Amino acid sequence: MKTSILSLIICLVTLHARSQAIETLNKVNQGAATLNQGANTLNNTSAAANNTANAVGNSFRTIKGLIPDKKNKEKEMTEAVTATTSNILVTIVNVDYSKLKEVEEHVKSVSKVKNTSKKFSSASSTISVEYTGQADELWDALPETIRNMYDLKELGDGVISLEAKK
């Protein structure tokens, strides 16, 4: 009989311990579910904050685009002043007619050139150029192959003087 009572007590204690363990596991599962909900809430809040930051950035860029930029206005005014057409005289010493024509064709291909006219002389030939810009810009716009064929003797206000390399 003692064994039966002892067995019954052991069974009761085991059942009680098991029910306590199940109850504890249920509480742990509920806590984990609460943590998951909290994590989801944080993720949603983070995504909403990110969307708000993007919307604010887009609004800022839109508003900034509507406000005139002082630097751009100064740049536009500078471009308007330099956009006037000037006459540039390109003088080439010791050049034959075919090379003069070649230089003129390359000058004509520069985007800001409006018109050209050439005069040939065996000693010194010229190309008159109507150009929207400065003489140094025109010189820099010519292909390097052309620039390497000539020594640059003068470059300034409306003048480019060249001498054919020998």
Side-chain angles (χ1 to χ4, degrees):
M1 175 127 160
K2 284 184 183 183
T3 350
S4 297
I5 293 178
L6 189 57
S7 293
L8 182 62
I9 291 174
I10 291 174
C11 281
L12 288 174
V13 169
T14 305
L15 283 174
H16 181 68
R18 184 172 182 258
S19 72
Q20 290 292 325
I22 289 173
E23 193 176 312
T24 302
L25 282 175
N26 286 338
K27 287 181 181 179
V28 168
N29 286 337
Q30 286 174 347
T34 302
L35 286 175
N36 282 337
Q37 286 175 343
N40 287 337
T41 301
L42 284 175
N43 285 338
N44 292 340
T45 303
S46 174
N50 190 28
N51 290 340
T52 301
N54 287 338
V56 168
N58 290 338
S59 297
F60 177 76
R61 283 187 286 283
T62 301
I63 291 169
K64 186 178 178 186
L66 298 174
I67 299 171
D69 186 7
K70 183 178 178 182
K71 289 181 182 178
N72 284 343
K73 186 160 255 186
E74 289 173 0
K75 182 180 176 184
E76 289 171 6
M77 291 175 66
T78 302
E79 288 174 354
V81 168
T82 59
T84 58
T85 303
S86 57
N87 291 318
I88 299 173
L89 185 64
V90 179
T91 305
I92 307 173
V93 178
N94 297 330
V95 67
D96 62 30
Y97 186 72
S98 65
K99 294 291 183 191
L100 178 66
K101 281 178 31 178
E102 181 182 5
V103 172
E104 183 187 31
E105 290 305 313
H106 283 287
V107 168
K108 282 182 180 179
S109 72
V110 174
S111 63
K112 294 181 182 180
V113 171
K114 293 188 177 190
N115 193 21
T116 65
S117 63
K118 65 182 171 301
K119 292 182 183 174
F120 174 74
S121 168
S122 60
S124 178
S125 299
T126 59
I127 303 172
S128 295
V129 182
E130 288 180 41
Y131 181 69
T132 306
Q134 303 296 320
D136 60 329
E137 295 169 351
L138 176 60
W139 174 249
D140 291 339
L142 292 174
E144 190 174 341
T145 54
I146 294 297
R147 288 182 290 158
N148 288 338
M149 293 170 51
Y150 301 94
D151 288 323
L152 181 62
K153 297 296 183 179
E154 184 179 354
L155 180 62
D157 290 335
V159 176
I160 300 175
S161 294
L162 307 172
E163 184 175 346
K165 291 183 179 178
K166 296 180 182 178

